[in-house]
Every structure is written in C-alpha cells, then in structure tokens.
Amino acid sequence: MPIDASLPYDDGNIFAKILRGELPCTKVYEDEHALAFHDINPLAPVHILVIPKGPYVSWDDFAARASDAEIAGFVRAVGHVARDAEMVVQGYRLLSNVGKRGGQEVPHLHVHIFGGQPLGPMLAR
Ligand code: DGP
C-alpha cells in the first residue's frame, strides 16, 4: 500500500529496523552515510536498494532537510554500489518512488538500482 510521503518520519518502518540491526538484510555496501542491500523481491537480476542512514521519508524530505554532507555521501554511495556491481558498462537504472502516486511502500528514502538485463522502456503505457 503506497504511503503518504508528507507524513513525519516513522522509525518503526522496515528499513529503520534494518538500519538498527533488528531485521536482517543481504548487505552489499555500507559507509557513514548509506547502507545498500538486495531487494527482498527482485525485479531484475540486479536489484539493490540504497538507503541513507538518517531519518528521511522520501527523496523530497531528504532534499529539503539533509545536510550537504549527507546528500553528497548518499549520492556517492549510489554511484559506488552501481560501479562495484560492474553495471556501468552495460548500463543500469535508478528509481526512487515518492508517495502515493509514485508507488512508495516503505517510508524511508530508498533508491532502487536495477540492472543485469535490458530494462526496456521507462514506464509501461
Ligand atoms: P518502494 O515501492 O519503492 O517503496 O519499494 C520498496 C521495496 O522494498 C520493494 O521492492 C520490496 C523491498 N522490501 C520490502 N521489505 C523488505 C525487506 O524487509 N527487506 C528487503 N531487503 N527489501 C524489502
């Protein structure tokens, strides 16, 4: 069920629990600002989620409230994970769903990294 991205951050969400170590994940990368792990329901051969460590609901919330250091750290982490997964030559896709119409289900900012196969058009008509 898509969430309302204008609501305040709820630290009971699944990714907050993963960050606190209360739920497991298959980690692929971690640094001061970001954690990356495999999506539990992969939609492509490579489907990795990258999340910031801070309490941000969505891309909108992150862009408005995060520090320059958090933003730089997160953006660099996304690039690092894609590069590390050797997807730069073949190409890949980044996606961040925001709110109800965006189809966001987990109310903690995450960027999906898709790759490993031709990804087709951006959206189905
Ligand atoms: P979105 O619709 O953009 O909010 O995508 C949420 C993604 O999170 C979805 O692709 C499935 C994934 N997901 C949900 N719960 C878990 C979990 O407990 N572990 C992992 N690794 N991924 C999860």
Side-chain angles (χ1 to χ4, degrees):
M1 177 87 167
I3 58 105
D4 178 348
S6 69
L7 291 174
Y9 186 78
D10 168 11
D11 69 4
N13 78 75
I14 288 168
F15 294 168
K17 290 180 181 173
I18 287 175
L19 277 171
R20 291 194 295 267
E22 295 165 11
L23 287 176
C25 72
T26 312
K27 180 163 72 175
V28 298
Y29 178 75
E30 181 170 17
D31 66 18
E32 182 188 351
H33 293 293
L35 175 69
F37 49 90
H38 291 289
D39 195 289
I40 204 167
N41 182 26
L43 298 174
V46 175
H47 186 173
I48 297 169
L49 300 172
V50 190
I51 67 175
K53 289 198 166 171
Y56 301 104
V57 176
S58 67
W59 188 276
D60 177 72
D61 187 30
F62 188 64
R65 293 196 302 112
S67 68
D68 290 355
E70 287 174 299
I71 291 171
F74 182 65
V75 171
R76 287 194 191 284
V78 173
H80 179 91
V81 170
R83 214 174 301 124
D84 233 39
E86 300 183 343
M87 290 196 295
V88 176
V89 172
Q90 291 189 346
Y92 61 98
R93 181 169 294 161
L94 302 180
L95 174 73
S96 189
N97 296 317
V98 180
K100 289 180 186 166
R101 285 189 171 176
Q104 182 180 2
E105 295 193 336
V106 179
H108 182 113
L109 169 61
H110 47 287
V111 168
H112 298 256
I113 301 178
F114 297 108
Q117 68 179 34
L119 295 167
M122 214 164 26
L123 290 174
R125 289 187 192 276

